[in-house]
Amino acid sequence: MTNPFFNRDIISIKDFSRPELKYLFSIADKVDSLDYERKKELGRGKILGLLFFEPSTRTRLSFEAAMLSIGGNVLGFAHPSMSSVEKGENLADTIRTIESYVDAIVLRHPMEGASRFATEVIAKPVINAGSGTEEHPTQAMIDLYTIMKVKGRIDGLNIAIFGDLKYGRTVYSLIYGLSKYRPRIFLVSPPQLKVKREALFGIDDKIKVSEHKDITEIIEELDVIYVTRIQKERFPDPHEYEKVKGSYIIDSELLKSGKDECIVMHPLPKVGEIAPEVDNMPNAKYFLQVYLGKVLRSGILISVLNPDPYSLIDS
Ligand code: CP
């Protein structure tokens, strides 16, 4: 397959096919197997712009770590208050300016559609690092890659997505990503935090999706539990947040009632929805997701920035 990622924007995981994701996972595997010196050659001379209009630990720092690990450089800001946005400069002018300095841009923004808008303003590749409640496509790529690594497949698995399904952008990207495979999806949430209806349009024709209020009813069937925190910052009314705050938790007792090999995933940060003792259980895979995040994002950067990553890696 010729590199389907070269010079391409990554705005929605919907835009990528299963063979294209397989290609990316294979590049990430190859990069991960290289030694330090070989890796350092892959991104030499390239510069990545990191524009974060919202807080981030993993996404920003793993893109930065990934770029540095392949010998490239990064510039940008971790908060718009550190830029001329603070003086009133608009998003289009900010992005146009930074395009002059870099080979690709990673953008996190609170507004839905911000990354898509960026692609209309500049020619260089834009990678969506989270756009409002809409999508977080590279997180979903990491999530799929992690399931593949741990379970060896996605087809045929019973996967629960559990927690705040309404405001969690990783949830939407994960549902769209999983729909390219053949798992069964269980959507488990408090009634106020059910997934937006439109997210399932066209999805439940392709794979079996069911909605639940209580995870204990289905725990014995599950191979994967993907937990999300309540996205406090996205509630239009703080009183609504107070009603659901602390309303669910995954703990060791619950996990012991499920399959031994059921894994627990989380895009992080976690803020109380996973009991601390779970961190030390073999089921917990969220810090593996963190590690694989850097690996997969190295694969993304090499593939977006080079026409033929395989020849670069194998040379
Ligand atoms: N998973 C994720 O997007 O984490 P950060 O908000 O820390 O980037």
Side-chain angles (χ1 to χ4, degrees):
M1 180 189 256
T2 54
N3 176 9
F5 286 84
F6 179 55
N7 238 354
R8 190 161 164 194
D9 302 309
I10 301 180
I11 305 304
S12 168
I13 198 164
K14 289 181 190 167
D15 300 334
F16 296 87
S17 67
R18 182 168 167 162
E20 288 172 340
L21 293 172
K22 188 175 173 192
Y23 176 95
L24 176 64
F25 300 161
S26 160
I27 292 289
D29 283 347
K30 282 238 173 202
V31 174
D32 196 31
S33 70
L34 295 177
D35 65 30
Y36 175 83
E37 292 301 333
R38 287 282 297 112
K39 248 186 238 178
K40 282 275 181 200
E41 294 304 316
L42 303 176
R44 192 170 296 284
K46 305 285 187 190
I47 302 177
L48 183 66
L50 298 171
L51 280 63
F52 278 70
F53 289 77
E54 278 190 336
S56 168
T57 297
R58 278 144 293 270
T59 310
R60 186 174 65 83
L61 294 178
S62 67
F63 266 115
E64 182 164 347
M67 194 61 179
L68 297 178
S69 76
I70 60 170
N73 280 300
V74 298
L75 56 79
F77 51 82
H79 191 275
S81 63
M82 296 161 66
S83 76
S84 287
V85 171
E86 190 73 2
K87 301 176 208 162
E89 187 166 43
N90 66 32
L91 181 61
D93 289 356
T94 303
I95 294 169
R96 272 192 204 108
T97 300
I98 293 170
E99 184 188 26
S100 301
Y101 312 144
V102 301
D103 297 290
I105 278 178
V106 176
L107 175 66
R108 172 171 286 189
H109 200 280
M111 299 294 292
E112 279 86 14
S115 291
R116 188 77 69 191
F117 170 72
T119 67
E120 293 162 9
V121 173
I122 63 171
K124 289 189 180 153
V126 176
I127 301 173
N128 178 5
S131 47
T133 61
E134 192 178 40
E135 272 220 54
H136 192 350
T138 65
Q139 179 65 51
M141 290 171 181
I142 293 162
D143 300 336
L144 298 175
Y145 185 54
T146 304
I147 297 172
M148 282 289 194
K149 285 278 188 197
V150 177
K151 296 287 187 187
R153 65 190 168 100
I154 296 172
D155 295 332
L157 294 181
N158 288 336
I159 300 178
I161 308 179
F162 178 60
D164 178 354
L165 309 187
K166 185 173 185 180
Y167 297 116
R169 57 192 170 203
T170 63
V171 167
Y172 294 100
S173 288
L174 182 60
I175 291 171
Y176 305 144
L178 287 172
S179 72
K180 296 168 194 300
Y181 300 82
R182 291 285 172 270
R184 177 165 179 199
I185 301 182
F186 300 78
L187 299 172
V188 190
S189 68
Q192 302 95 318
L193 298 177
K194 282 171 72 167
V195 78
K196 292 178 205 159
R197 289 289 91 209
E198 60 267 28
L200 301 181
F201 291 165
I203 302 284
D204 42 6
D205 300 341
K206 291 190 218 158
I207 54 174
K208 195 160 182 194
V209 181
S210 53
E211 292 186 87
H212 308 265
K213 277 187 283 197
D214 184 356
I215 197 162
T216 61
E217 290 168 6
I218 52 165
I219 185 72
E220 289 173 19
E221 296 182 61
L222 300 177
D223 302 297
V224 178
I225 306 173
Y226 186 94
V227 191
T228 63
R229 75 179 166 95
I230 298 183
Q231 309 272 311
K232 180 181 179 183
E233 68 277 22
R234 307 219 184 272
F235 278 67
D237 178 352
H239 297 103
E240 292 304 309
Y241 168 72
E242 289 299 324
K243 287 183 198 164
V244 289
K245 186 174 84 174
S247 58
Y248 58 88
I249 190 163
I250 295 283
D251 59 17
S252 55
E253 197 179 334
L254 176 79
L255 291 176
K256 281 174 191 157
S257 63
K259 295 180 189 174
D260 287 346
E261 62 278 13
C262 174
I263 62 169
V264 180
M265 298 175 63
H266 195 304
L268 303 181
K270 57 183 168 71
V271 290
E273 59 282 353
I274 297 182
E277 76 267 12
V278 176
D279 289 2
N280 298 320
M281 295 176 72
N283 314 69
K285 299 298 177 198
Y286 26 90
F287 290 109
L288 177 65
Q289 278 170 275
V290 171
Y291 170 74
L292 293 175
K294 180 188 151 191
V295 173
L296 201 272
R297 286 180 171 131
S298 301
I300 290 174
L301 294 174
I302 289 163
S303 304
V304 167
L305 297 172
N306 296 285
D308 188 358
Y310 272 118
S311 70
L312 202 63
I313 292 165
D314 293 333
S315 65

